[in-house]
Amino acid sequence: MKKIKILLIVLVGATLSSCKQEFSEELPRVTLPLDQAISNEKILNTAVNGLYGLYQTQTNGDALNSYGAMIPTLEELLADNGFVAIKNSNRFSTTRDSNLTFYTQNNADIATLWLSLYKIIANANFVISYEGKIPDDPNTSGTPENLFGQAYVVRAMAYSSLVSLFSDNFNGSNPDVGVPLPLDFKPGTNLPRASVKQVYDQILSDLTKAGSLIGTDNGNKKFNAVAVDLLLSRYYLAVKNYAQANTYAQKVLDNSSYTLLPSSGVANFFGVDGEGNPETIFQIDYNALDLPGDNDGITATWSSVGRYKQNFATQTFFNKLGTNDVRRGTWYRNTGYVLTLNDNPKPIDVMKYTVTDRDVVVMRKTEAVFNQLEALYYTNPADALTKLNAWVKGYRDTGYSYSGSGTNLLQEILMQKNLEMFLEGFRYSDLKRNGISFVNPQTQVALTPSKVQFKAFPLPQAELNTNTLISQFPGY
């Protein structure tokens, strides 16, 4: 767990009480003039390392929160299989409200997520602005091209998250209401919303450019060519090009550098010893010298060993696991502390992240299984059914058998994905992308595709206050 250096151009972080929170106000903290800040490959490498540092929940005192905790947490709590217990720290507590009071422009979590993702983009833009200006240093391992390829992936992933959460689906009812699309480093410039298609086109452009530059062996704490293929499979699912989604998922599955997590590896995968497992394609680095914040790390609110012990899975979710499923009693437990809580039904303990220095998994090979299954559902449902049974029976539950069809098959594919990848950043977006209504059985929160809360998050009030060119999503 080598410690990643923090980016020398980390943006000056506006706190949530500041009146200047939108991305266009962010300025780089540098000790050199901007046109000299990245002058050689060694500094470029440090700058790219810093981009990954921005994925953590705290960076140089700035309150950042995206892939390290906020996104995986909200993807579960805003969907049907996760919830905040009655006894809680007030963190994320409004996700329990069936009146959907979480979705307001004054919500601090939404504001933090918006600001964090645009900080990542602004830093990536700054790095990319040096493309073609940094010569290869024979005394530095790797190449500048590989480093710039990583920066393009960082930017593409941030835009993917923003357009997925703050805009309607691709070809949805609000095609002109995307997110601002800054591609150059120009502090102080306000931008209006781009269209949803323009944002997705840029994501594809960035991933295509990354694929032409990036290396194949960057370790699992940096992006590489396999991560690009996995992100392309996500992209093509989002734009409903299912043939291409299947193609790129298969590319990941065919890559022999990574292996699907076998049933024998489940129990230890989310322990520190599991960080080197060849299932993992990309994870956010944490270690004993570089821990997430006590209040904001993913361990803070999840599981009975967390500081606040408040976020759990539902009994309905747990009951989907077969009696012989290897995840029952390892990743998910219905024993111990949860039985002392007043919630009815009793919560299910999610025991994935139980130590703060476990790296946070963002991409792993098994995701490609489910990206392919979703794509096949729309193009060859019989093949999807066959492959679904083969994977679950072969890798997680020897007694599994499913024979449903139609939309029931799609829901089963997505449920099996959630059973495997709970707290890894997918559930809310998976349901939204496929237009699947739900009722959370624990909280009775209900969302349908017609509700604005299932179309997009509201823009933070701070962004509306300072960016006169931007408008709130229709319906808020």
Side-chain angles (χ1 to χ4, degrees):
M1 293 181 292
K2 182 179 180 181
K3 181 174 172 62
I4 290 179
K5 297 178 181 178
I6 298 302
L7 179 57
L8 60 86
I9 56 168
V10 168
L11 304 178
V12 175
T15 65
L16 289 179
S17 61
S18 171
C19 64
K20 293 186 177 181
Q21 290 180 325
E22 87 290 356
F23 70 89
S24 60
E25 293 294 329
E26 301 302 330
L27 298 171
R29 182 185 296 129
V30 297
T31 57
L32 296 170
L34 291 181
D35 61 355
Q36 299 178 32
I38 300 178
S39 57
N40 57 56
E41 188 178 349
K42 185 176 181 179
I43 295 176
L44 174 63
N45 183 66
T46 301
V48 172
N49 284 345
L51 295 178
Y52 297 109
L54 292 173
Y55 280 23
Q56 297 179 344
T57 53
Q58 295 285 335
T59 300
N60 283 0
D62 293 340
L64 302 179
N65 210 331
S66 56
Y67 302 103
M70 184 75 77
I71 288 176
T73 293
L74 293 183
E75 286 281 353
E76 301 303 341
L77 297 184
L78 297 179
D80 55 342
N81 292 324
F83 70 100
V84 176
I86 294 172
K87 179 182 178 182
N88 62 71
S89 66
N90 204 37
R91 288 163 176 79
F92 308 112
S93 60
T94 55
T95 62
R96 291 181 51 91
D97 188 357
S98 60
N99 292 319
L100 305 179
T101 56
F102 174 85
Y103 300 88
T104 70
Q105 57 202 43
N106 293 312
N107 184 293
D109 295 325
I110 291 175
T112 295
L113 182 57
W114 175 269
L115 178 62
S116 298
L117 290 170
Y118 273 113
K119 278 189 174 183
I120 290 169
I121 289 168
N123 276 273
N125 285 345
F126 189 81
V127 171
I128 290 169
S129 71
Y130 286 87
E131 187 182 6
K133 301 175 184 178
I134 307 300
D136 189 15
D137 181 356
N139 298 316
T140 302
S141 62
T143 65
E145 289 76 17
N146 175 35
L147 294 168
F148 286 118
Q150 293 177 55
Y152 277 107
V153 181
V154 167
R155 187 168 74 178
M157 189 166 171
Y159 276 128
S160 295
S161 298
L162 281 163
V163 74
S164 172
L165 295 172
F166 288 90
S167 299
D168 205 345
N169 287 338
F170 186 83
N171 287 342
S173 56
N174 295 276
D176 296 328
V177 191
V179 295
L181 195 60
L183 301 176
D184 301 310
F185 187 75
K186 294 180 179 179
T189 302
N190 288 326
L191 292 175
R193 289 178 181 265
S195 72
V196 173
K197 184 178 184 302
Q198 286 174 322
V199 180
Y200 277 109
D201 285 349
Q202 186 59 49
I203 293 167
L204 178 59
S205 176
D206 280 355
L207 291 176
T208 302
K209 184 65 178 291
S212 70
L213 298 172
I214 204 164
T216 58
D217 186 18
N218 293 330
N220 65 17
K221 303 186 193 216
K222 294 185 177 182
F223 292 123
N224 61 15
V226 183
V228 173
D229 288 339
L230 190 56
L231 285 172
L232 281 166
S233 73
R234 292 184 189 181
Y235 163 83
Y236 283 115
L237 285 179
V239 301
K240 307 184 190 312
N241 185 335
Y242 299 113
Q244 285 290 81
N246 180 32
T247 294
Y248 280 98
Q250 190 62 52
K251 283 187 68 175
V252 177
L253 294 173
D254 288 341
N255 191 294
S256 60
S257 296
Y258 300 89
T259 58
L260 293 175
L261 182 67
S263 60
S264 60
V266 165
N268 296 324
F269 181 68
F270 284 97
V272 173
D273 291 342
E275 290 181 356
N277 194 295
E279 157 83 356
T280 304
I281 295 171
F282 172 70
Q283 57 192 350
I284 300 170
D285 184 45
Y286 284 113
N287 57 60
L289 300 177
D290 188 16
L291 297 177
D294 288 343
N295 291 331
D296 302 312
I298 201 166
T299 57
T301 53
W302 288 95
S303 90
S304 60
V305 301
R307 180 174 183 178
Y308 299 109
K309 301 176 174 60
Q310 64 165 63
N311 298 348
F312 301 99
T314 67
Q315 284 279 351
T316 300
F317 170 85
F318 187 75
N319 291 339
K320 290 286 185 178
L321 296 167
T323 56
N324 296 320
D325 196 304
V326 294
R327 297 165 295 193
R328 179 186 281 265
T330 54
W331 291 352
Y332 314 115
R333 301 178 186 176
N334 62 347
T335 57
Y337 173 79
V338 291
L339 298 178
T340 70
L341 298 176
N342 293 328
D343 303 81
N344 185 25
K346 296 297 183 183
I348 298 300
D349 222 347
V350 180
M351 302 295 289
K352 284 189 170 181
Y353 294 101
T354 58
V355 291
T356 54
D357 57 346
R358 197 335 177 162
D359 295 347
V360 174
V361 177
V362 179
M363 295 181 185
R364 56 187 177 104
K365 188 168 185 173
T366 299
E367 182 197 337
V369 171
F370 290 99
N371 290 356
Q372 181 173 73
L373 288 173
E374 183 177 335
L376 287 173
Y377 165 77
Y378 287 102
T379 58
N380 189 342
D383 197 14
L385 178 61
T386 298
K387 288 181 181 292
L388 173 66
N389 276 284
W391 181 83
V392 180
K393 189 176 182 69
Y395 285 86
R396 297 295 180 264
D397 181 4
T398 56
Y400 181 80
S401 179
Y402 183 77
S403 59
S405 61
T407 56
N408 289 334
L409 173 58
L410 175 60
Q411 292 190 42
E412 178 67 11
I413 289 169
L414 297 180
M415 173 54 86
Q416 288 299 327
K417 180 179 180 180
N418 200 214
L419 290 171
E420 176 68 13
M421 311 194 84
F422 190 98
L423 200 54
E424 296 180 51
F426 297 103
R427 184 60 173 174
Y428 171 88
S429 292
D430 284 349
L431 295 174
K432 173 186 169 181
R433 181 177 64 253
N434 288 284
I436 297 175
S437 303
F438 70 86
V439 178
N440 186 301
Q442 195 84 20
T443 64
Q444 301 308 304
V445 169
L447 284 181
T448 64
S450 63
K451 289 188 177 181
V452 66
Q453 294 86 353
F454 212 20
K455 293 179 181 291
F457 287 0
L459 288 185
Q461 186 62 52
E463 182 69 24
L464 295 169
N465 290 343
T466 54
N467 185 352
T468 59
L469 299 179
I470 204 166
S471 58
Q472 184 59 275
F473 191 89
Y476 283 109

